Amino acid sequence: MGGVFIKPVSKLRGEIKVPGDKSISHRAALFGGMAYGETHVSNFLLGQDCLSTLQCLKQLGVSWERKGTEVWLRGEGMETWQEPINVLDAGNSGTTMRLMLGALAGSPFTVTMSGDESLRSRPMRRVTDPLKQMGAQIMGRGDGNFAPLTMMGGQLQGQSFRTAVPSAQIKSAIILAGLRARGETSVEEPALSRDHTERMLRGFGVDVQSDRTLVRVHGGSRLNGQAVSVPGDISSAAFFLVLGSLVGQGEIVLPDVGVNPTRTGILDVLKAMGADIELLDSSEICGEPRATLRVRPAKLKGIEISGDMIPRLIDEIPILAVAASLAEGETLIRDAAELRVKETDRIKTVVEGLNALGAKVEERPDGMHIQGQTSLYGGQASSFGDHRLAMAWAISGMLSEQGVSVEDMAAADVSYPEFLTVIKKVAG
């Protein structure tokens, strides 16, 4: 197995401005395309997933231009969206596909959405079933469970839903369909998932009512173009929080990182493990809290990660597993079966990858059991095209004894195109 070889390091120091939040960038582009008037998005993430959302909007007739990380969208309302000539290609982006399906559910035309091989294998029924209940006609492989998916627009009727799992993508798709439905649409979750959609829709002028795990919207709501400042992505910052906690010496500062309470599970868990992380310069811009994070080396200990904490750090579990493998004592991750339907089966791939690098990890149906130790030997690991795994194995290499060769490191481009450049810089 070839790949990019990541050397071990013993000392780090520097300031890292992580790229814009992926979830917020997707929504800023989509809502700007749905709105009336101009939307200006700053610090937009230039990862492949968010660019897929912009390209889908262009195929629907939405006019936009981009200069660096700034995007201007000139929306004229969803009534002016056009039937696309070709299939909408969501690439590797589940967020693009699921949110776009919700936004398009009430359109008066037919549209087909697909993506790469990985996305075509990811289940969509949890989104397509509620949209069908509201009146959308959706056809696809596995009775509408797998892309390519073809949707024929129609009149939507508001409904009340209770989801089986907390998922911001499911909730957001239903809410977006509800904006074009007759009457009220509500979604109740078993635990609160990311609330970026609710926060941002309010900024665009939509009356979104929420009470803990219940969200309500009314049909006929109009979005008005806004200026949206995207904070740094805490999921990208997570890799440096773990690296800064476990490296021998140094200090890493991460300015302007989003610290939305539905996303800060990574901070809570690392602090419970004993990490030395400080929040500085806290503020709130465009409805999203943000802060500067400073992390210094600390001795970590194993804990249990389960229950309502899981939705608040689902994307950070691969790098948390790396941290747990180098912590003192045992770590048990439970209630995370959702990981099996991500870009890869992240339970299986994380367990196999860490064991190949010298860790002691046991796979469980809904998570994993990790026996912490003082070191990772190193070796070879594949990302299997999963951006979170690519970056987790790179951090493992920096914290290992012998280094790690990462197969398909380019997968990191999905959410962090400059990742390799940044780790070389802070490592000197």
Short mmCIF file of all heavy atoms in Angstrom, two decimals, residues 118 121-123 317-318 336-353 363-368 382-386 388-389 393:
data_model
loop_
_atom_site.label_atom_id
_atom_site.label_comp_id
_atom_site.label_asym_id
_atom_site.label_seq_id
_atom_site.Cartn_x
_atom_site.Cartn_y
_atom_site.Cartn_z
N SER A 118 -19.98 5.99 -3.49
CA SER A 118 -20.22 5.96 -2.05
C SER A 118 -21.60 6.51 -1.72
O SER A 118 -22.36 5.92 -0.95
CB SER A 118 -19.14 6.78 -1.32
OG SER A 118 -19.49 7.00 0.03
N SER A 121 -24.63 4.39 -2.37
CA SER A 121 -24.83 3.24 -1.47
C SER A 121 -25.37 3.67 -0.10
O SER A 121 -25.63 2.82 0.76
CB SER A 121 -23.50 2.50 -1.27
OG SER A 121 -22.59 3.28 -0.52
N ARG A 122 -25.56 4.97 0.11
CA ARG A 122 -26.01 5.46 1.41
C ARG A 122 -27.53 5.55 1.45
O ARG A 122 -28.16 6.04 0.50
CB ARG A 122 -25.37 6.82 1.72
CG ARG A 122 -23.86 6.73 1.86
CD ARG A 122 -23.20 8.08 1.99
NE ARG A 122 -23.54 8.73 3.25
CZ ARG A 122 -23.08 9.93 3.59
NH1 ARG A 122 -22.30 10.60 2.75
NH2 ARG A 122 -23.40 10.47 4.75
N PRO A 123 -28.18 5.10 2.54
CA PRO A 123 -29.64 5.05 2.60
C PRO A 123 -30.27 6.44 2.64
O PRO A 123 -29.81 7.33 3.34
CB PRO A 123 -29.92 4.28 3.88
CG PRO A 123 -28.70 4.48 4.73
CD PRO A 123 -27.55 4.58 3.78
N ILE A 317 -16.10 11.19 16.03
CA ILE A 317 -15.77 9.91 16.67
C ILE A 317 -14.50 9.27 16.12
O ILE A 317 -13.70 8.72 16.88
CB ILE A 317 -16.98 8.96 16.63
CG1 ILE A 317 -18.03 9.46 17.66
CG2 ILE A 317 -16.58 7.52 16.96
CD1 ILE A 317 -19.30 8.67 17.71
N PRO A 318 -14.21 9.32 14.80
CA PRO A 318 -12.94 8.74 14.34
C PRO A 318 -11.71 9.34 15.03
O PRO A 318 -10.83 8.60 15.49
CB PRO A 318 -12.95 9.04 12.84
CG PRO A 318 -14.40 9.05 12.48
CD PRO A 318 -15.07 9.71 13.66
N ALA A 336 -23.84 4.60 18.73
CA ALA A 336 -23.32 5.30 17.55
C ALA A 336 -23.48 4.48 16.27
O ALA A 336 -22.66 4.56 15.36
CB ALA A 336 -21.85 5.67 17.76
N ALA A 337 -24.54 3.68 16.18
CA ALA A 337 -24.76 2.85 14.99
C ALA A 337 -24.88 3.70 13.72
O ALA A 337 -24.63 3.21 12.61
CB ALA A 337 -26.01 2.00 15.17
N GLU A 338 -25.24 4.98 13.88
CA GLU A 338 -25.34 5.89 12.74
C GLU A 338 -24.03 5.95 11.95
O GLU A 338 -24.02 6.22 10.74
CB GLU A 338 -25.70 7.30 13.27
CG GLU A 338 -25.88 8.36 12.22
CD GLU A 338 -27.21 8.27 11.49
OE1 GLU A 338 -28.06 7.45 11.88
OE2 GLU A 338 -27.38 9.02 10.52
N LEU A 339 -22.91 5.67 12.62
CA LEU A 339 -21.60 5.70 11.96
C LEU A 339 -21.50 4.67 10.84
O LEU A 339 -20.66 4.81 9.94
CB LEU A 339 -20.48 5.43 12.97
CG LEU A 339 -20.18 6.55 13.96
CD1 LEU A 339 -19.19 6.07 15.01
CD2 LEU A 339 -19.61 7.76 13.23
N ARG A 340 -22.32 3.65 10.87
CA ARG A 340 -22.23 2.60 9.85
C ARG A 340 -22.77 3.05 8.49
O ARG A 340 -22.55 2.37 7.48
CB ARG A 340 -22.95 1.34 10.32
CG ARG A 340 -22.28 0.69 11.53
CD ARG A 340 -22.68 -0.76 11.67
NE ARG A 340 -22.10 -1.39 12.86
CZ ARG A 340 -20.90 -1.98 12.89
NH1 ARG A 340 -20.14 -1.99 11.81
NH2 ARG A 340 -20.47 -2.54 14.01
N VAL A 341 -23.49 4.17 8.44
CA VAL A 341 -24.05 4.64 7.16
C VAL A 341 -23.49 6.02 6.80
O VAL A 341 -24.17 6.83 6.18
CB VAL A 341 -25.60 4.66 7.18
CG1 VAL A 341 -26.14 3.24 7.25
CG2 VAL A 341 -26.14 5.47 8.36
N LYS A 342 -22.25 6.27 7.19
CA LYS A 342 -21.57 7.49 6.77
C LYS A 342 -20.84 7.22 5.44
O LYS A 342 -21.16 6.26 4.74
CB LYS A 342 -20.59 7.94 7.87
CG LYS A 342 -21.29 8.46 9.12
CD LYS A 342 -21.95 9.80 8.87
CE LYS A 342 -22.49 10.44 10.13
NZ LYS A 342 -23.09 11.76 9.88
N GLU A 343 -19.83 8.05 5.11
CA GLU A 343 -19.09 7.84 3.86
C GLU A 343 -18.53 6.43 3.76
O GLU A 343 -18.40 5.86 2.68
CB GLU A 343 -17.96 8.87 3.74
CG GLU A 343 -18.43 10.26 3.36
CD GLU A 343 -18.93 11.10 4.52
OE1 GLU A 343 -19.26 10.56 5.59
OE2 GLU A 343 -19.00 12.32 4.36
N THR A 344 -18.15 5.87 4.91
CA THR A 344 -17.82 4.45 5.02
C THR A 344 -18.56 3.93 6.25
O THR A 344 -19.19 4.69 6.97
CB THR A 344 -16.31 4.24 5.25
OG1 THR A 344 -15.92 4.94 6.44
CG2 THR A 344 -15.48 4.75 4.07
N ASP A 345 -18.48 2.63 6.51
CA ASP A 345 -18.91 2.10 7.80
C ASP A 345 -17.82 2.50 8.79
O ASP A 345 -16.80 1.82 8.93
CB ASP A 345 -19.05 0.58 7.72
CG ASP A 345 -19.44 -0.06 9.06
OD1 ASP A 345 -19.29 0.60 10.11
OD2 ASP A 345 -19.87 -1.22 9.05
N ARG A 346 -18.02 3.65 9.44
CA ARG A 346 -16.93 4.22 10.25
C ARG A 346 -16.64 3.43 11.52
O ARG A 346 -15.58 3.63 12.11
CB ARG A 346 -17.23 5.69 10.59
CG ARG A 346 -16.98 6.63 9.42
CD ARG A 346 -17.15 8.08 9.82
NE ARG A 346 -16.95 8.95 8.67
CZ ARG A 346 -17.41 10.19 8.58
NH1 ARG A 346 -18.13 10.69 9.57
NH2 ARG A 346 -17.18 10.92 7.50
N ILE A 347 -17.53 2.58 11.95
CA ILE A 347 -17.19 1.71 13.09
C ILE A 347 -16.17 0.67 12.62
O ILE A 347 -15.09 0.52 13.20
CB ILE A 347 -18.44 1.05 13.68
CG1 ILE A 347 -19.35 2.11 14.32
CG2 ILE A 347 -18.05 -0.02 14.71
CD1 ILE A 347 -20.65 1.57 14.87
N LYS A 348 -16.51 -0.01 11.56
CA LYS A 348 -15.64 -1.08 11.03
C LYS A 348 -14.28 -0.53 10.59
O LYS A 348 -13.22 -1.07 10.95
CB LYS A 348 -16.33 -1.76 9.86
CG LYS A 348 -15.56 -2.92 9.24
CD LYS A 348 -16.38 -3.51 8.09
CE LYS A 348 -15.63 -4.62 7.38
NZ LYS A 348 -15.39 -5.78 8.26
N THR A 349 -14.28 0.57 9.81
CA THR A 349 -13.02 1.08 9.26
C THR A 349 -12.12 1.68 10.34
O THR A 349 -10.90 1.55 10.28
CB THR A 349 -13.29 2.12 8.16
OG1 THR A 349 -14.23 3.10 8.64
CG2 THR A 349 -13.87 1.46 6.93
N VAL A 350 -12.72 2.34 11.34
CA VAL A 350 -11.90 2.91 12.43
C VAL A 350 -11.28 1.80 13.26
O VAL A 350 -10.08 1.84 13.60
CB VAL A 350 -12.75 3.85 13.31
CG1 VAL A 350 -12.01 4.19 14.60
CG2 VAL A 350 -13.07 5.14 12.55
N VAL A 351 -12.07 0.77 13.60
CA VAL A 351 -11.55 -0.34 14.40
C VAL A 351 -10.42 -1.04 13.66
O VAL A 351 -9.33 -1.28 14.21
CB VAL A 351 -12.68 -1.33 14.75
CG1 VAL A 351 -12.11 -2.61 15.35
CG2 VAL A 351 -13.66 -0.69 15.73
N GLU A 352 -10.63 -1.37 12.39
CA GLU A 352 -9.61 -2.08 11.62
C GLU A 352 -8.36 -1.22 11.45
O GLU A 352 -7.23 -1.70 11.57
CB GLU A 352 -10.17 -2.49 10.26
CG GLU A 352 -11.22 -3.60 10.35
CD GLU A 352 -11.78 -3.98 8.99
OE1 GLU A 352 -11.48 -3.27 7.99
OE2 GLU A 352 -12.52 -4.98 8.92
N GLY A 353 -8.57 0.09 11.17
CA GLY A 353 -7.43 0.97 10.96
C GLY A 353 -6.59 1.14 12.21
O GLY A 353 -5.35 1.05 12.16
N GLU A 363 -14.61 -4.09 18.02
CA GLU A 363 -15.83 -3.59 17.37
C GLU A 363 -17.06 -4.04 18.12
O GLU A 363 -17.17 -5.19 18.56
CB GLU A 363 -15.87 -4.11 15.93
CG GLU A 363 -17.06 -3.62 15.12
CD GLU A 363 -17.01 -4.09 13.67
OE1 GLU A 363 -15.93 -4.51 13.20
OE2 GLU A 363 -18.07 -4.03 13.01
N ARG A 364 -18.02 -3.12 18.29
CA ARG A 364 -19.32 -3.42 18.86
C ARG A 364 -20.40 -3.05 17.84
O ARG A 364 -20.15 -2.22 16.96
CB ARG A 364 -19.54 -2.60 20.15
CG ARG A 364 -18.51 -2.87 21.26
CD ARG A 364 -18.76 -4.19 21.95
NE ARG A 364 -17.76 -4.51 22.96
CZ ARG A 364 -17.83 -4.14 24.24
NH1 ARG A 364 -18.85 -3.39 24.65
NH2 ARG A 364 -16.89 -4.49 25.10
N PRO A 365 -21.61 -3.62 17.94
CA PRO A 365 -22.66 -3.30 16.95
C PRO A 365 -22.92 -1.80 16.82
O PRO A 365 -23.17 -1.31 15.73
CB PRO A 365 -23.88 -4.04 17.49
CG PRO A 365 -23.32 -5.19 18.27
CD PRO A 365 -22.07 -4.66 18.90
N ASP A 366 -22.88 -1.07 17.95
CA ASP A 366 -23.20 0.36 17.93
C ASP A 366 -22.03 1.23 18.36
O ASP A 366 -22.22 2.36 18.78
CB ASP A 366 -24.41 0.65 18.82
CG ASP A 366 -24.13 0.35 20.29
OD1 ASP A 366 -23.15 -0.37 20.58
OD2 ASP A 366 -24.89 0.85 21.15
N GLY A 367 -20.81 0.72 18.25
CA GLY A 367 -19.65 1.51 18.65
C GLY A 367 -18.40 0.68 18.76
O GLY A 367 -18.17 -0.23 17.96
N MET A 368 -17.61 0.95 19.80
CA MET A 368 -16.34 0.23 19.96
C MET A 368 -15.83 0.34 21.39
O MET A 368 -16.19 1.26 22.13
CB MET A 368 -15.30 0.77 18.97
CG MET A 368 -14.96 2.24 19.14
SD MET A 368 -14.06 2.95 17.72
CE MET A 368 -15.41 3.25 16.56
N SER A 382 -5.85 3.03 5.35
CA SER A 382 -6.54 3.61 4.20
C SER A 382 -7.71 4.46 4.65
O SER A 382 -8.41 4.13 5.61
CB SER A 382 -7.05 2.50 3.27
OG SER A 382 -7.82 3.07 2.21
N SER A 383 -7.94 5.55 3.92
CA SER A 383 -9.10 6.39 4.20
C SER A 383 -10.37 5.81 3.57
O SER A 383 -11.46 6.22 3.93
CB SER A 383 -8.88 7.80 3.65
OG SER A 383 -9.00 7.81 2.23
N PHE A 384 -10.21 4.90 2.61
CA PHE A 384 -11.35 4.36 1.85
C PHE A 384 -12.20 5.49 1.27
O PHE A 384 -13.42 5.38 1.15
CB PHE A 384 -12.21 3.43 2.72
CG PHE A 384 -11.48 2.21 3.20
CD1 PHE A 384 -11.01 2.15 4.51
CD2 PHE A 384 -11.23 1.15 2.35
CE1 PHE A 384 -10.31 1.03 4.96
CE2 PHE A 384 -10.54 0.02 2.79
CZ PHE A 384 -10.08 -0.04 4.09
N GLY A 385 -11.55 6.60 0.93
CA GLY A 385 -12.25 7.74 0.35
C GLY A 385 -13.02 8.58 1.35
O GLY A 385 -13.78 9.46 0.95
N ASP A 386 -12.83 8.35 2.64
CA ASP A 386 -13.56 9.06 3.70
C ASP A 386 -12.67 10.16 4.27
O ASP A 386 -11.61 9.88 4.84
CB ASP A 386 -13.96 8.06 4.78
CG ASP A 386 -14.86 8.65 5.86
OD1 ASP A 386 -14.75 9.86 6.14
OD2 ASP A 386 -15.66 7.89 6.45
N ARG A 388 -12.90 12.11 6.90
CA ARG A 388 -12.62 12.07 8.34
C ARG A 388 -11.54 11.03 8.66
O ARG A 388 -10.70 11.25 9.53
CB ARG A 388 -13.88 11.75 9.13
CG ARG A 388 -15.09 12.61 8.81
CD ARG A 388 -15.04 13.98 9.46
NE ARG A 388 -16.27 14.71 9.15
CZ ARG A 388 -16.37 16.02 9.16
NH1 ARG A 388 -15.34 16.77 9.48
NH2 ARG A 388 -17.52 16.61 8.86
N LEU A 389 -11.58 9.90 7.98
CA LEU A 389 -10.56 8.88 8.22
C LEU A 389 -9.19 9.34 7.74
O LEU A 389 -8.18 9.11 8.41
CB LEU A 389 -10.94 7.57 7.52
CG LEU A 389 -12.16 6.81 8.04
CD1 LEU A 389 -12.31 5.48 7.32
CD2 LEU A 389 -12.06 6.56 9.54
N TRP A 393 -6.10 9.41 10.37
CA TRP A 393 -4.86 8.62 10.22
C TRP A 393 -3.64 9.53 10.13
O TRP A 393 -2.56 9.16 10.61
CB TRP A 393 -4.95 7.71 9.00
CG TRP A 393 -6.08 6.73 8.99
CD1 TRP A 393 -6.76 6.27 7.89
CD2 TRP A 393 -6.68 6.06 10.11
NE1 TRP A 393 -7.74 5.39 8.25
CE2 TRP A 393 -7.71 5.23 9.61
CE3 TRP A 393 -6.46 6.08 11.49
CZ2 TRP A 393 -8.52 4.43 10.43
CZ3 TRP A 393 -7.27 5.29 12.32
CH2 TRP A 393 -8.26 4.48 11.80
#
